[in-house]
């Protein structure tokens, strides 16, 4: 896998018990869409309605929260998350502590945005 699992003091930052948070090497490699409607794959969201309109700020936040929490592949992060949008909405995202710490540890610019 080309991405990284961020670790600290020998332990991973967990998205949830037993699942390390997947973090990309750079925010710049996040080339996801900035507009339109996006349907998440079942592995990232198990609801029947997995489609999000990126023009709706609440739907954008909800989609990003789900992808950042559930991703097990860096390819999903690169394809679905946009680095510019991520920096803009970072302070508003409701993320598990482990996910937020993993991303902010790897990408200091996000920590400063919060």
């Amino acid at each position: 896998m080309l991405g990284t699992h961020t670790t600290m003091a020998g332990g991973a930052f967990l998205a949830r018990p037993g699942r390390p948070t997947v973090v990309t090497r750079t925010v710049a490699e996040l080339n996801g869409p900035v507009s339109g409607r996006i349907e998440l794959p079942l592995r990232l969201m198990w609801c029947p309605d997995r489609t999000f309109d990126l023009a709706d700020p609440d739907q954008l936040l909800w989609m990003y929260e789900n992808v950042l929490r559930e991703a097990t592949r860096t390819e999903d992060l690169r394809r679905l998350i946009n680095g510019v949008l991520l920096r803009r909405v970072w302070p508003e995202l409701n993320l598990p502590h482990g996910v937020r710490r993993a991303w902010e540890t790897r990408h200091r610019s996000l920590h400063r945005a919060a």
Side-chain angles (χ1 to χ4, degrees):
M1 182 183 328
L2 295 174
T4 63
H5 295 281
T6 303
T7 60
M8 183 172 185
F13 292 120
L14 300 178
R16 62 174 177 240
R19 179 182 285 180
T21 300
V22 178
V23 179
T24 55
R25 287 189 177 104
T26 68
V27 173
E29 70 190 87
L30 299 171
N31 294 311
V34 296
S35 63
R37 296 180 62 79
I38 307 301
E39 183 174 352
L40 294 183
L42 276 172
R43 70 180 172 277
L44 296 178
M45 188 167 198
W46 307 283
C47 297
D49 183 11
R50 301 181 318 274
T51 302
F52 297 86
D53 182 354
L54 298 182
D56 181 324
D58 291 331
Q59 288 188 32
L60 172 69
L61 292 174
W62 190 25
M63 185 190 110
Y64 273 35
E65 290 162 357
N66 278 281
V67 173
L68 292 168
R69 184 181 59 247
E70 300 299 331
T72 58
R73 309 171 183 178
T74 54
E75 300 83 43
D76 286 332
L77 295 168
R78 288 186 197 107
R79 186 173 59 82
L80 295 167
I81 302 291
N82 179 277
V84 173
L85 286 178
L86 180 64
R87 284 187 178 104
R88 189 181 84 213
V89 301
W90 185 256
E92 300 173 59
L93 292 172
N94 183 15
L95 297 169
H97 182 70
V99 174
R100 186 168 294 280
R101 287 201 53 216
W103 279 86
E104 289 180 354
T105 297
R106 180 74 179 177
H107 305 294
R108 294 291 181 195
S109 64
L110 294 176
H111 180 69
R112 289 187 294 272

